[in-house]
Amino acid sequence: QKEVEQNSGPLSVPEGAIASLNCTYSDRVSQSFFWYRQYSGKSPELIMSIYSNGDKEDGRFTAQLNKASQYVSLLIRDSQPSDSATYLCAVILNTGFQKLVFGTGTRLLVSP
Amino acid sequence: GAVVSQHPSWVICKSGTSVKIECRSLDFQATTMFWYRQFPKQSLMLMATSNEGSKATYEQGVEKDKFLINHASLTLSTLTVTSAHPEDSSFYICSARKQGNTGELFFGEGSRLTVL
């Protein structure tokens, strides 16, 4: 089983809709979870971090964490064409170096 | 704050040569830096963990003699791809964690290596 799993997509949504991105992880004791956005040819940029069960909102973005189900999600409200990118779920493993490992990423396409 | 700079941003080299990529934390000290590699349409794969003043820890399947990592100071880590071959062509990205912090990583801009 991969440490972090995501559906590769593409996930296509119309402009203004809600995009829902999902991620599961295998390390039951992980405590830190992140969503990154990556445009083609660029380095990933951090969108959200979440550490506690429940929802965390920041502008149009809401991260949701369910540690019992080992599940993390990202909701993007009022999706814009500029949101089209690959969204990477990342988890810090509970190892000595606190390594950050990534899922394969979900490609989001927002059509005008 | 929390800026990580990589250099060069892109490099083209001939097969068999060695290439060095630098990763610098510009406004903070980083005891730990991580090196990732990303092939087209794939995710970031962790190559190694670089610790200041000690040997790097490599992930399974990554050749330590081919990918030399040096972390000589709290603000600089280098990755040297030795005897590069076309299959080493990839996007190499470093990240750094602030000293004393166990959370967020800050990423460099990435270095695109093309081996002819």
Side-chain angles (χ1 to χ4, degrees), chain A:
Chain A
Q1 182 185 7
K2 292 182 180 179
E3 291 157 329
V4 183
E5 298 205 51
Q6 295 179 255
N7 187 317
S8 61
L11 172 65
S12 296
V13 299
E15 184 175 358
I18 296 175
S20 178
L21 304 161
N22 305 312
C23 169
T24 58
Y25 60 95
S26 62
D27 184 0
R28 186 170 291 277
V29 296
S30 289
Q31 298 294 320
S32 305
F33 309 88
F34 306 87
W35 283 99
Y36 286 83
R37 177 174 61 196
Q38 187 178 30
Y39 294 107
S40 181
K42 301 294 184 181
S43 191
E45 56 179 318
L46 181 67
I47 297 177
M48 294 280 286
S49 60
I50 187 166
Y51 306 99
S52 303
N53 276 328
D55 295 358
K56 179 181 177 182
E57 186 175 319
D58 184 0
R60 295 187 297 113
F61 299 97
T62 299
Q64 299 173 318
L65 173 61
N66 184 326
K67 292 183 180 179
S69 301
Q70 295 174 238
Y71 175 89
V72 192
S73 66
L74 179 69
L75 299 177
I76 306 175
R77 289 181 298 281
D78 188 23
S79 296
Q80 301 297 308
S82 58
D83 294 328
S84 297
T86 296
Y87 289 80
L88 300 164
C89 174
V91 176
I92 289 183
L93 298 183
N94 192 35
T95 64
F97 295 121
Q98 301 288 295
K99 298 184 294 186
L100 182 70
V101 293
F102 287 84
T104 53
T106 299
R107 188 172 169 221
L108 174 65
L109 299 175
V110 182
S111 54

Side-chain angles (χ1 to χ4, degrees), chain A residues 97, chain B residues 31-32 49-57 69-73:
Chain A
F97 295 121
Chain B
T31 48
T32 305
T49 302
S50 167
N51 292 289
E52 185 266 336
S54 63
K55 291 182 179 180
T57 301
I69 292 173
N70 184 282
H71 193 159
S73 77

Side-chain angles (χ1 to χ4, degrees), chain B residues 11-95:
Chain B
V11 57
I12 301 173
C13 71
K14 293 182 179 181
S15 184
T17 61
S18 295
V19 174
K20 179 185 284 188
I21 301 170
E22 293 185 347
C23 178
R24 294 181 184 272
S25 55
L26 298 185
D27 53 359
F28 66 97
Q29 293 185 327
T31 48
T32 305
M33 291 184 174
F34 300 88
W35 286 95
Y36 293 84
R37 178 169 55 182
Q38 186 176 34
F39 292 109
K41 300 189 184 302
Q42 295 186 25
S43 189
L44 282 76
M45 296 301 297
L46 181 64
M47 298 175 67
T49 302
S50 167
N51 292 289
E52 185 266 336
S54 63
K55 291 182 179 180
T57 301
Y58 291 80
E59 295 299 302
Q60 191 174 9
V62 178
E63 300 175 57
K64 62 180 181 180
D65 294 329
K66 181 169 183 62
F67 299 99
L68 301 179
I69 292 173
N70 184 282
H71 193 159
S73 77
L74 288 173
T75 59
L76 174 64
S77 177
T78 60
L79 168 67
T80 301
V81 182
T82 63
S83 186
H85 288 91
E87 57 266 29
D88 298 322
S89 299
S90 188
F91 192 44
Y92 292 87
I93 308 172
C94 75
S95 65

